[in-house]
């Protein structure tokens, strides 16, 4: 499994170990398939190349299904509806939604859908790219940028850990997460069967509840 362990509660370090929804979900899938799970941490935009080259059998990283990515990899059935949200300083009264981001400095995690959509909507010159979502949040805290666009769940974790920031109620984009595979990989069908079983028998909900609790 290729991942980027900077994305709580989907994948993050607890000591030396990578834990989170994707890590546990993948472990449950591997168990169903009688396979052994090994997790490799890498930059988010290295995951698709790793899967394409066969360095990894699949990617699991809260990854959004997009048309462009579908040209490069196959996706499993989707397993979570994510939202791109906007984080601003708590005392910011000017930015209340996506419309007010025009002309502002926006921080994103490099290569994510937040990056791709924001670059499209607000122009490359207004986007500041960071290797980790948390670094974008720190830059916002320090007043270097006006807003961060990032997935809702990591946004909640980062805002909880950082004083003086808030998540806007008006979301930016809604999207679906899935696991990615090399094109025409035989694993996709087997994994989809396992996903269906894990949803059916309650394992999947248990994992989500453990990490997201009542906030779903
Ligand atoms: N869901 C976003 C994407 O697919 C971000 C994923 C991530 O940063 N791990 O681009």
């Amino acid at each position: 499994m290729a991942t980027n362990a900077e994305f709580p509660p989907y994948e993050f370090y607890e000591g030396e170990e990578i834990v989170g929804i994707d890590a546990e979900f993948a472990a449950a899938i591997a168990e169903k398939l009688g396979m052994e799970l090994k997790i490799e941490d890498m930059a988010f935009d290295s995951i698709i190349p790793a899967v394409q080259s066969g360095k990894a059998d699949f990617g699991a990283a809260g990854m959004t299904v997009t048309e462009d990515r579908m040209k490069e990899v196959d996706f499993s059935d989707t397993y979570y509806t994510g939202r791109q949200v906007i984080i601003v300083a708590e005392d910011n009264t000017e930015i209340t939604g996506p419309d007010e981001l025009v002309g502002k400095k926006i921080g994103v995690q490099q290569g994510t859908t937040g990056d791709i959509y924001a670059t499209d909507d607000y122009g490359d010159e207004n986007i500041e790219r960071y290797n980790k979502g948390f670094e974008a949040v720190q830059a916002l805290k320090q007043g270097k940028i006006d807003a961060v666009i990032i997935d809702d769940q990591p946004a909640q974790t980062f805002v909880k850990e950082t004083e003086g920031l808030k998540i806007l109620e008006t979301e930016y984009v809604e999207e679906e997460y899935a696991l990615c595979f090399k094109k025409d990989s035989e694993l996709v069908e087997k994994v989809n069967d396992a996903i269906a079983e894990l949803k059916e028998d309650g394992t999947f909900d248990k994992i989500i509840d453990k990490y997201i609790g009542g906030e779903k």
Side-chain angles (χ1 to χ4, degrees), residues 4 7 11 44 61-64 69 84 109 111-114 151 175 177:
N4 172 240
F7 197 70
E11 38 270 327
F44 182 75
M63 188 182 282
T64 304
R69 288 175 182 164
Q84 294 292 317
Q109 187 188 359
T112 60
T113 45
D151 301 53
E175 45 190 26
Y177 294 172

Side-chain angles (χ1 to χ4, degrees), residues 2-202:
T3 194
N4 172 240
E6 301 291 343
F7 197 70
Y10 283 85
E11 38 270 327
F12 57 100
Y13 279 95
E14 218 169 65
E16 302 276 281
E17 201 194 347
I18 297 173
V19 298
I21 294 169
D22 286 333
E24 286 202 28
F25 191 34
I29 292 170
E31 200 184 320
K32 285 249 179 236
L33 302 186
M35 294 174 123
E36 187 199 346
L37 180 71
K38 275 198 200 136
I39 303 180
E40 284 260 354
D41 188 19
M42 58 187 74
F44 182 75
D45 50 8
S46 299
I47 295 172
I48 287 183
V51 165
Q52 285 178 310
S53 69
K55 200 173 155 244
D57 294 305
F58 70 104
M63 188 182 282
T64 304
V65 178
T66 71
E67 300 233 327
D68 280 339
R69 288 175 182 164
M70 277 164 79
K71 291 178 197 148
E72 301 179 323
V73 287
D74 282 348
F75 281 102
S76 70
D77 292 336
T78 60
Y79 63 92
Y80 189 82
T81 300
R83 285 172 190 80
Q84 294 292 317
V85 296
I86 302 164
I87 309 176
V88 295
E90 205 157 37
D91 58 4
N92 187 323
T93 49
E94 187 196 349
I95 302 174
T96 58
D99 293 349
E100 289 94 33
L101 289 179
V102 176
K104 296 284 189 277
K105 280 267 169 269
I106 303 163
V108 296
Q109 187 188 359
Q110 167 105 9
T112 60
T113 45
D115 179 4
I116 297 162
Y117 303 150
T119 303
D120 250 18
D121 288 347
Y122 304 109
D124 191 48
E125 68 282 8
N126 293 313
I127 307 301
E128 296 289 333
R129 300 186 176 85
Y130 300 87
N131 286 324
K132 304 174 181 180
F134 191 61
E135 287 170 3
V137 171
Q138 290 307 302
L140 173 63
K141 162 99 182 147
Q142 291 158 14
K144 292 182 182 156
I145 51 178
D146 301 302
V148 170
I149 294 180
I150 192 164
D151 301 53
D152 56 345
Q153 290 301 331
Q156 291 198 24
T157 311
F158 296 152
V159 165
K160 225 175 271 166
E161 289 170 357
T162 317
E163 247 173 72
L165 302 178
K166 66 180 176 191
I167 299 171
L168 296 185
E169 270 172 39
T170 321
E171 69 194 34
Y172 178 46
V173 180
E174 190 171 290
E175 45 190 26
E176 295 287 334
Y177 294 172
L179 310 181
C180 70
F181 298 82
K182 190 178 183 156
K183 280 247 163 246
D184 303 318
S185 163
E186 287 171 9
L187 265 179
V188 185
E189 215 182 295
K190 292 181 194 161
V191 166
N192 280 339
D193 289 344
I195 291 177
E197 283 176 34
L198 293 167
K199 282 189 175 165
E200 180 77 33
D201 72 11

